[in-house]
Amino acid sequence: MLLTPVSNAADTESVHINQLQYIGSHNSYHAGFGPSETELWKNTHSQDFASLNYSHPNLTRQLDDGVHQFELDIYTDTKGGRYSHPAINKLVAEAGLPPDPPFADATIMQRPGFKVMHMQDVDQRSTCQPLRACLEEVREWSNRHPRHLPLFILLETKEGPPEVKFSTVIPERFDTHTLDALDAEIQSVFPRGKYITPDDVRGNYPTVNLAIRNGGWPSLNVARGKILFLLDQRKVSAAYLNGHPSLRGRVMFTNSTPGQPDAAFVERNDGPASEITSLVRAGYLVRTRTDAELKEPRANDTRRRDAMMGSGAQLLSTDFPRNEAADTGYVVQFTADANVRCNPVLSTIDCRDNDLHD
């Protein structure tokens, strides 16, 4: 597909999407806990709860507030109903606590499809359900703001044994067939001209890795109004690459190992900043976290935040973006009204912060 530039006098072809920094939200769908769930968590697993006690507004509100990268945790539910009766409901009742409001529409949870939630059984509340509804919400906002800066949607595939002992449902695995269905889900929501794929970035290079190491990321002109989809978990990369070498024909960019044919996007959630800077200079799109487990926000400790901002990582994920500051005052933003800026590591005279608006 030939990517078509969107005209804007303030943009130039010399400013590419990897030459900006974007603030995103961690577990962007997370709606927190009901009152009884909160009491139960505090009474039984207070330390775990201390790292989970946050929530975000819906995706539309976050987009309005300037968030440009979302993280959505997804579970496959091929037959439907797998996550319809979370164990926490029974635990709340056994503790003699009043029932909380339903965590999701029961009809939706009975249908097959990808479900969005943090931890099965115990932390399932999401501002959008199922995945298709989340994608449609982003699409509608994008259609209303056709000149927006690129958006990035990170999909984290959740599988394997439960993360806490009182969870009983075992998630299904993500195999090549499931990942094909995930691509198809995205394609059914977004028309082809609304998203940028590895094929678009590869161009005439034999691999996407070689392309991005030679300036292959699209310009800001081309990327306005579009979305990039990122696949989080490396353990599913082999299944996703099966039959699609160097991501040919695929929708999402894999979280890969630098130097591999499919490597364009990498995660360095914990740094170090020096390694991130080297990767950014080599052409990679890097996602990192400015805070984790609520530790830095509780102490209003900005050292990690500031180091990650200075590293040049393009995607800066936080639990506390602009307009969602922690009680301590901790917040991640570039200025009072900006969640995007020119990349300090890949600075160019053609990139001006004042021109970066949706």
Side-chain angles (χ1 to χ4, degrees):
M1 175 187 179
L2 179 63
L3 291 173
T4 304
V6 180
S7 177
N8 179 14
D11 296 341
T12 74
E13 285 298 317
S14 64
V15 179
H16 293 252
I17 63 173
N18 62 313
Q19 294 176 313
L20 305 182
Q21 279 189 314
Y22 314 81
I23 290 174
S25 55
H26 168 247
N27 289 347
S28 311
Y29 58 89
H30 199 249
F33 299 94
S36 292
E37 292 167 353
T38 297
E39 186 171 346
L40 181 71
W41 270 100
K42 286 181 176 179
N43 292 339
T44 60
H45 293 76
S46 58
Q47 288 187 334
D48 290 332
F49 183 71
S51 66
L52 299 172
N53 189 23
Y54 64 91
S55 62
H56 294 292
N58 63 42
L59 302 184
T60 300
R61 171 65 182 273
Q62 291 184 62
L63 287 163
D64 287 341
D65 287 342
V67 168
H68 282 77
Q69 181 251 307
F70 290 137
E71 177 188 14
L72 303 176
D73 292 344
I74 58 173
Y75 292 73
T76 184
D77 186 12
T78 55
K79 295 181 179 180
R82 193 177 191 88
Y83 306 103
S84 295
H85 304 286
I88 198 166
N89 290 349
K90 181 180 179 182
L91 295 172
V92 164
E94 290 175 348
L97 298 169
D100 286 313
F103 70 95
D105 185 303
T107 303
I108 290 174
M109 296 305 290
Q110 287 293 337
R111 296 172 186 156
F114 296 100
K115 305 304 192 297
V116 178
M117 53 195 177
H118 189 215
M119 292 188 291
Q120 76 277 17
D121 269 330
V122 295
D123 188 4
Q124 293 196 186
R125 293 185 182 274
S126 174
T127 62
C128 52
Q129 192 72 267
L131 172 63
R132 183 179 186 87
C134 304
L135 299 179
E136 289 174 343
E137 187 174 351
V138 174
R139 181 194 63 196
E140 294 310 304
W141 186 91
S142 178
N143 288 342
R144 293 195 300 272
H145 302 81
R147 294 213 22 81
H148 66 74
L149 296 171
L151 304 176
F152 302 84
I153 299 180
L154 177 69
L155 297 174
E156 180 175 353
T157 53
K158 303 295 284 280
E159 57 182 17
E163 296 182 43
V164 293
K165 64 181 180 181
F166 54 94
S167 178
T168 60
V169 176
I170 306 298
E172 297 178 75
R173 308 293 295 186
F174 279 79
D175 57 17
T176 298
H177 175 74
T178 309
L179 293 164
D180 288 345
L182 182 56
D183 268 4
E185 181 98 322
I186 295 169
Q187 292 169 313
S188 73
V189 173
F190 292 92
R192 181 61 184 88
K194 287 293 292 184
Y195 56 92
I196 294 170
T197 70
D199 287 338
D200 297 329
V201 171
R202 182 187 303 101
N204 294 323
Y205 286 97
T207 69
V208 69
N209 181 253
L210 192 57
I212 61 98
R213 294 172 69 181
N214 286 276
W217 290 110
S219 71
L220 189 56
N221 277 357
V222 164
R224 279 190 177 273
K226 297 181 174 63
I227 296 97
L228 284 80
F229 293 92
L230 313 171
L231 183 61
D232 186 8
Q233 296 291 347
R234 284 187 181 176
K235 61 186 177 183
V236 303
S237 291
Y240 194 64
L241 289 165
N242 184 25
H244 300 269
S246 187
L247 296 171
R248 292 184 182 277
R250 282 303 196 185
V251 173
M252 296 178 283
F253 294 84
T254 45
N255 172 19
S256 187
T257 301
Q260 291 299 305
D262 62 312
F265 161 66
V266 297
E267 284 191 346
R268 290 295 184 271
N269 286 335
D270 300 313
S274 58
E275 182 181 349
I276 291 174
T277 298
S278 295
L279 290 167
V280 167
R281 286 178 173 157
Y284 294 97
L285 185 75
V286 182
R287 185 256 196 175
T288 193
R289 291 185 64 181
T290 58
D291 44 83
E293 314 302 328
L294 305 188
K295 294 177 181 177
E296 293 85 3
R298 281 199 300 267
N300 197 18
D301 182 350
T302 62
R303 289 173 295 178
R304 175 173 176 166
R305 179 197 71 183
D306 296 345
M308 294 302 101
M309 283 183 170
S311 73
Q314 292 91 346
L315 306 178
L316 300 164
S317 182
T318 178
D319 289 319
F320 298 96
R322 182 164 62 100
N323 292 342
E324 296 183 52
D327 292 340
T328 60
Y330 178 92
V331 68
V332 179
Q333 60 187 20
F334 297 126
T335 66
D337 59 355
N339 272 3
V340 180
R341 72 173 180 180
C342 299
N343 195 310
V345 169
L346 300 178
S347 59
T348 167
I349 60 173
D350 295 317
C351 189
R352 298 179 296 274
D353 287 342
N354 290 339
D355 294 336
L356 303 179
H357 52 82
D358 291 320

